[in-house]
Amino acid sequence: MSDASLFPKFNREGEIAENVTQLIGQTPMVYLSSKTNTSKAKIACKLESANPMASVKDRLALAMITLAEKDGLISPEKTTLVEATSGNTGIALAQIGAMRGYKVILTMPETMSEERRCLLAIFGATVHLTPAALGVKGANALAAKIVKETPGAYLTSQFDTKYNAIVHKLTTGPEIWQQTKGKIAAYVGGVGTGGTVTGAGEYLKEQNKKVKVYGVEPAESAVISGNAPAPHKIQGIGAGFIPKVLNKELLDGVLQVTSEDALKMGALLPKNEGLFTGISAGAVVSAAVELGKTPEFEGKLIVVIIPSFGERYLSTTMFAGLRAECAAWPTVPKEKLGLPK
């Protein structure tokens, strides 16, 4: 059985799914309007927030479990899955793991949002928080320690596993090529694990070697660009090290975006486009708009990945002012409601 046959296309309009994993992938795309896209390029967003758990990491979790089962590395009711996560991979692993009979243990930096923590608890995962100052490195270290000390444990290892890029080469890349009818000029993706930009990018370049592929990283922690790791506010990208999964040779460039610009764009997207996204989506859209202002991409199509849904970030700095404002809303007194006397 080929890897591709494990991720068949599902007819959403004409069939009823046997289970929720059949609904992962085949996500829609939408153009940005001129209110947001101030460049002369066309920019289309692939909405990975349309996956069942509202994240591109649904694809990764499905691949890490399905392909590891195929390769005889894990078995339901016997294996404990362990992963270091900033949230979305862990949520998808917890969901699919619960469905398929796996115990899931996750390690996560303490800075990750409350929404992510609650979702992990809902699906029954065990979560260990690690010090913020250590970032993802701290979570990785604890995950490795847990695997070593836990009989039957398996480290899914999203930053290292070959399954990460494979699933995006088999699904995300072909979907983009089909949806754009091969007219894509550039693909812009945030670099977290590096799997999406690598897998989808490799497929797109195989179809047309002229397609440009760009990674996006936080300007404050531009490790891929050769700078030292440092704190930033763009959850989901900028892990502070160069992931093993990332194919750096594939990239035509690395675009840096400040946390401030990512947050600003993330706040604009709901008002301008009706797109409720996370902080990293703000980063990739901001990067794509700036790229589109270069003469090379005038009139051409740039594709970006919207990796997750905004509701998962309500407790973050992105919406801090809004939360305080909403909490202070007054209640209209009963006598002023216009009720009949």
Side-chain angles (χ1 to χ4, degrees):
M1 181 182 292
S2 70
D3 289 345
S5 68
L6 296 172
F7 308 102
K9 287 186 177 182
F10 177 73
N11 181 0
R12 290 170 178 259
E13 296 180 0
E15 299 179 36
I16 299 174
E18 293 294 331
N19 63 73
V20 75
T21 63
Q22 286 184 297
L23 303 177
I24 295 173
Q26 301 177 68
T27 52
M29 294 183 70
V30 62
Y31 286 111
L32 287 180
S33 74
S34 58
K35 288 189 289 186
T36 302
N37 179 14
T38 54
S39 77
K40 293 184 179 181
K42 293 180 179 179
I43 299 177
C45 301
K46 188 161 177 61
L47 305 182
E48 290 299 296
S49 51
N51 281 308
M53 289 312 300
S55 159
V56 67
K57 298 300 185 181
D58 286 21
R59 297 180 191 257
L60 171 57
L62 179 62
M64 290 195 296
I65 293 176
T66 301
L67 294 177
E69 286 178 341
K70 172 179 175 282
D71 291 342
L73 300 175
I74 61 175
S75 299
E77 310 299 341
K78 295 180 181 179
T79 306
T80 296
L81 305 178
V82 182
E83 180 60 73
T85 176
S86 63
N88 286 326
T89 301
I91 291 164
L93 270 176
Q95 180 214 25
I96 299 172
M99 291 172 59
R100 294 196 177 178
Y102 292 95
K103 180 180 179 182
V104 178
I105 300 176
L106 302 164
T107 61
M108 185 169 71
E110 62 182 334
T111 50
M112 296 303 112
S113 69
E114 292 177 14
E115 291 85 0
R116 297 186 186 199
R117 299 186 196 188
C118 290
L119 283 167
L120 294 173
I122 286 168
F123 288 112
T126 299
V127 180
H128 299 279
L129 299 178
T130 55
L134 297 177
V136 177
K137 284 186 176 181
N140 279 335
L142 180 57
K145 181 173 182 285
I146 290 171
V147 169
K148 187 176 181 180
E149 298 174 351
T150 306
Y154 171 77
L155 187 64
T156 49
S157 193
Q158 61 173 318
F159 289 95
D160 300 318
T161 178
K162 64 181 180 180
Y163 304 144
N164 193 336
I166 285 173
V167 72
H168 293 293
K169 191 168 185 177
L170 291 175
T171 66
T172 315
E175 288 172 30
I176 292 171
W177 185 254
Q178 181 180 23
Q179 289 168 306
T180 63
K181 297 178 173 58
K183 295 179 181 179
I184 177 174
Y187 166 64
V188 178
V191 179
T193 63
T196 310
V197 71
T198 296
E202 286 179 352
Y203 179 87
L204 293 169
K205 279 184 175 288
E206 286 175 3
Q207 308 313 303
N208 180 359
K209 62 183 180 181
K210 293 183 180 179
V211 173
K212 298 293 181 67
V213 176
Y214 296 90
V216 177
E217 66 177 344
E220 299 92 336
S221 187
V223 175
I224 304 170
S225 300
N227 298 334
H232 63 89
K233 298 177 181 178
I234 310 177
Q235 289 190 18
I237 67 172
F241 57 90
I242 299 176
K244 182 179 177 181
V245 173
L246 179 66
N247 179 0
K248 284 183 64 179
E249 302 303 315
L250 174 79
L251 300 179
D252 293 286
V254 179
L255 310 176
Q256 298 179 23
V257 178
T258 66
S259 294
E260 181 181 2
D261 285 343
L263 288 164
K264 283 182 179 178
M265 182 59 77
L268 280 176
L269 286 171
K271 297 173 183 177
N272 288 355
E273 309 295 331
L275 294 176
F276 191 24
T277 73
I279 306 168
S280 61
V284 295
V285 171
S286 180
V289 170
E290 291 306 308
L291 182 67
K293 292 177 181 178
T294 62
E296 180 182 359
F297 294 104
E298 182 174 344
K300 295 182 179 178
L301 177 58
I302 298 172
V303 171
V304 303
I305 293 286
I306 302 295
S308 57
F309 191 59
E311 199 168 14
R312 202 158 287 175
Y313 303 88
L314 286 173
S315 67
T316 68
T317 54
M318 187 173 183
F319 297 106
L322 182 64
R323 291 200 314 275
E325 178 185 333
C326 293
W329 282 352
T331 300
V332 178
K334 180 180 178 180
E335 56 273 15
K336 294 185 177 181
L337 296 180
L339 295 170
K341 296 181 180 180

